[in-house]
Amino acid sequence: MTDRAGETWGRRWFIGAACIGFILSIISCLGVEASITVNVNGSGRAAFQYRVSKMFMSLKRNPGGAERPGLALPSARQDLERTLARAKGASLAGVQQTETEADIDLKGEIRFDSVAALNACGLFDEMPIALVREEGRTIFTLRVCDQREPLDQTAVETYRTLFEGYDLVFRITAPREIVSPVPSRGSLSADKKTLIYAISLFDYIQLSEKTEVRVSW
């Protein structure tokens, strides 16, 4: 291998490794579905299901010897139970873990006394949520991502097939009819009480502007 060819290969490897490192640091579980139902008093329940790729679970170290980034969400039922056991105002109503050849699947339900308690339970550290009152309306906010540098498009295309079939889906159900505009990638249920927001993981990793989902009623 010539010096020039080696330099080119090294640059491509670095870009690819940086891309994977970034993705692992923002969301190491590859598929997420969360259905959050909020009552009039701010309490409610959150049903969730997410898939963790066994390939990512098997990555113990980077080529440089550093530990791989920590998981953004608990990677097993025991981790999830320990996380919720420390939460105040939120409790785990049930959880089930299954496995396929490719993924570990976790699903369950959390009961919460307030949206603030749900936000503090550890499952929404990467995508914080909040509930506030403004001008006579109740507003629920989910931060999909902060502003960040765009990823190198060569690296993004390299991993297109890696994330194919993995999506982020959030369903937010209000106690009354939703009156806020429907965001891009969003849709309303027939009774206008549930907003469904869905984005593929491939599209998600390309977001660079601060992105929020706001639901008011």
Side-chain angles (χ1 to χ4, degrees):
M1 182 181 296
T2 66
D3 291 343
R4 183 176 297 275
E7 180 181 350
T8 300
W9 180 89
R11 185 182 302 111
R12 289 176 178 174
W13 179 90
F14 177 80
I15 292 172
C19 177
I20 280 292
F22 176 81
I23 292 165
L24 283 172
S25 68
I26 58 174
I27 184 164
S28 50
C29 102
L30 295 183
V32 175
E33 291 191 24
S35 299
I36 303 173
T37 300
V38 181
N39 300 322
V40 174
N41 66 356
S43 65
R45 65 184 187 276
F48 63 89
Q49 180 173 359
Y50 62 87
R51 292 186 289 159
V52 182
S53 170
K54 287 183 177 179
M55 181 189 68
F56 285 138
M57 292 296 296
S58 66
L59 295 177
K60 295 182 179 180
R61 291 183 177 273
N62 295 326
E67 292 291 339
R68 66 181 175 87
L71 291 172
L73 289 172
S75 57
R77 175 175 178 168
Q78 294 82 356
D79 297 333
L80 185 62
E81 290 172 339
R82 282 195 295 269
T83 298
L84 268 295
R86 298 192 296 267
K88 294 182 179 180
S91 59
L92 192 61
V95 61
Q96 179 181 358
Q97 177 176 330
T98 57
E99 295 187 23
T100 65
E101 291 185 2
D103 303 315
I104 296 174
D105 296 83
L106 281 174
K107 63 180 179 179
E109 183 174 287
I110 299 170
R111 306 288 173 83
F112 56 89
D113 296 338
S114 66
V115 170
L118 179 63
N119 186 60
C121 76
L123 292 181
F124 292 90
D125 288 349
E126 301 297 327
M127 296 180 176
I129 57 177
L131 189 71
V132 299
R133 290 278 296 176
E134 290 182 3
E135 300 178 351
R137 290 184 178 180
T138 302
I139 302 174
F140 177 98
T141 304
L142 182 148
R143 189 188 309 161
V144 178
C145 76
D146 288 312
Q147 184 174 355
R148 59 199 186 200
E149 291 295 322
L151 290 179
D152 180 273
Q153 287 304 302
T154 302
V156 169
E157 290 301 321
T158 300
Y159 295 102
R160 176 189 289 272
T161 57
L162 183 63
F163 301 112
E164 185 176 359
Y166 292 95
D167 302 296
L168 308 180
V169 181
F170 296 96
R171 297 177 180 86
I172 303 163
T173 300
R176 292 189 289 272
E177 185 175 308
I178 294 170
V179 296
S180 52
V182 177
S184 174
R185 299 187 176 90
S187 62
L188 278 180
S189 60
D191 63 4
K192 297 184 179 180
K193 290 185 177 181
T194 299
L195 173 72
I196 302 97
Y197 178 87
I199 182 172
S200 70
L201 185 61
F202 182 71
D203 287 339
Y204 173 78
I205 65 173
Q206 296 179 85
L207 293 177
S208 57
E209 299 296 328
K210 181 179 179 180
T211 304
E212 291 184 336
V213 175
R214 291 170 61 88
V215 179
S216 63
W217 60 88

